[in-house]
Amino acid sequence: MDLRPLIVAGLLGVAAQVWAAPAPEDPFFLPPDAKAYILKATGSAPTTQTKLQDLLQALFQKRSEGGLGLVYDNTRTRTVGEVWTEGKANCLSMTAFFVSACRAIGIHEEYAEALNTNHWRKAGGIVRFERHVVALTPAPPRNDLIADFVPELRKRYGTYKVVVLPESRFRALFYSNRAVERLTEGDMEGAREQAQLSLDADPKSSVGWNILGVVLASGADLPKAEEAYRRAMELDHRDGAPIGNMEALLRNTGRAEEAQRYRVLGETVRKKDPYFHAYLAEEALVEGDLGEAQTRIRSALKILPKDPDFLLLAARVRLATGDLDGAIRSLEDARKYADPAEQERYNSKIEGIQGMKGGKVER
């Protein structure tokens, strides 16, 4: 059955679709009062695009003004119901809520991963590769719309490098994130449960198998952890996370020769990962190793030379080395390639450095 949206004169249309609403015990269940609120907020909009915009604005509008007052909070991955009651979400929870809301009022909506906004982050003793997910309204051939953690719809093309995710894969990411959160809290049983739910949702998710391996290794079940890492590597040869985890497991159990082979493999895979280079540049900058920071950010920019976040980090590195002119050039490039709505924030940074120089820079 073709569930694509109707397109009339280049505008999105509401498409009737066969969609089974999640059961109340499902974390993606949309509470009835939330659905009623969404219907009221979007009911007068004449097109799908205006309904989407009205929905986004209602989500981010202050509660005192009748909105949900949604704010970003990455302390935990909330269910759709918790987003509704608490008004807080990370990108996974916000996307789950938005997609559930759209589908509940008959709008065809997809889960998607924005590949050019992923990054690495260290939380306690765990290094995490954080994927950024968004909601996507298909409008082929080139009018797809993106709902992200901002109150305005954005065009997919020109801003995002996006891959659409099947619901099974999105759910696997959702549960994997919750597994890591439980593990960080020391809740081993909860972490194991969430990791298994990830694989129940998508048995072919390399992320799910890797997270299960991390949980098993933390519980000292090393043979099964090794099996999980191997399965993750089989499913995605480009994912450096299970390779690094396998190396650590082998090294910690005295299998140094095997561990070294994974070290070499991991460096080969991550050599092509600009986000990992950027993570290492950030880490080196914080530690004061400016030479390493410069090397790593150059590697990231060699792969993605127009990434605003990488250019901003390059400016910070150059500023730390005293290269004020270079920092300004990096910021100007970041501003040029940034989304128009975000360009203004670079002006104050540029002006601040110019002030440090005692005047404007001669170009």
Side-chain angles (χ1 to χ4, degrees), residues 212-229:
L212 177 61
V214 172
V215 172
L216 290 168
S218 298
D221 193 345
L222 300 185
K224 288 187 178 179
E226 184 174 337
E227 291 176 12
Y229 292 146

Side-chain angles (χ1 to χ4, degrees), residues 213-288:
V214 172
V215 172
L216 290 168
S218 298
D221 193 345
L222 300 185
K224 288 187 178 179
E226 184 174 337
E227 291 176 12
Y229 292 146
R230 292 190 187 281
R231 180 62 175 147
M233 288 185 285
E234 289 171 3
L235 289 166
D236 187 351
H237 301 291
R238 299 168 298 175
D239 188 353
I243 297 173
N245 289 331
M246 176 68 89
E247 180 205 339
L249 184 152
L250 295 172
R251 200 171 296 281
N252 291 338
T253 54
R255 296 155 68 182
E257 187 174 339
E258 291 179 77
Q260 187 59 31
R261 290 202 295 270
Y262 284 100
R263 166 65 65 87
V264 173
L265 177 60
E267 288 180 352
T268 301
V269 171
R270 287 171 172 171
K271 188 176 182 179
K272 301 176 182 179
D273 184 346
Y275 305 102
F276 189 67
H277 288 298
Y279 161 74
L280 292 176
E282 178 79 41
E283 186 176 62
L285 179 60
V286 171
E287 294 174 354

Side-chain angles (χ1 to χ4, degrees), residues 114-263:
L115 301 177
N116 58 330
T117 54
N118 294 334
H119 68 281
W120 294 79
R121 181 170 71 90
K122 191 171 185 177
I126 300 175
V127 177
R128 300 173 60 173
F129 181 58
E130 297 189 333
R131 290 171 157 85
H132 184 57
V133 294
V134 294
L136 183 147
T137 309
R142 293 188 65 82
N143 291 315
D144 295 354
L145 294 174
I146 297 290
D148 201 344
F149 226 104
V150 290
E152 300 291 335
L153 289 169
R154 296 182 177 183
K155 293 286 188 181
R156 169 184 180 177
Y157 296 98
T159 303
Y160 292 87
K161 182 180 179 182
V162 166
V163 58
V164 173
L165 299 174
E167 180 161 341
S168 58
R169 181 59 49 88
F170 180 85
R171 283 179 174 266
L173 292 175
F174 180 89
Y175 287 120
S176 291
N177 220 53
R178 288 162 70 93
V180 173
E181 291 165 359
R182 301 293 191 277
L183 185 61
T184 303
E185 295 164 359
D187 179 4
M188 294 299 300
E189 184 177 347
R192 181 76 176 263
E193 177 187 21
Q194 294 297 313
Q196 187 58 55
L197 286 171
S198 176
L199 290 172
D200 290 344
D202 184 1
K204 294 185 178 181
S205 168
S206 63
V207 175
W209 282 103
N210 178 57
I211 295 302
L212 177 61
V214 172
V215 172
L216 290 168
S218 298
D221 193 345
L222 300 185
K224 288 187 178 179
E226 184 174 337
E227 291 176 12
Y229 292 146
R230 292 190 187 281
R231 180 62 175 147
M233 288 185 285
E234 289 171 3
L235 289 166
D236 187 351
H237 301 291
R238 299 168 298 175
D239 188 353
I243 297 173
N245 289 331
M246 176 68 89
E247 180 205 339
L249 184 152
L250 295 172
R251 200 171 296 281
N252 291 338
T253 54
R255 296 155 68 182
E257 187 174 339
E258 291 179 77
Q260 187 59 31
R261 290 202 295 270
Y262 284 100
R263 166 65 65 87

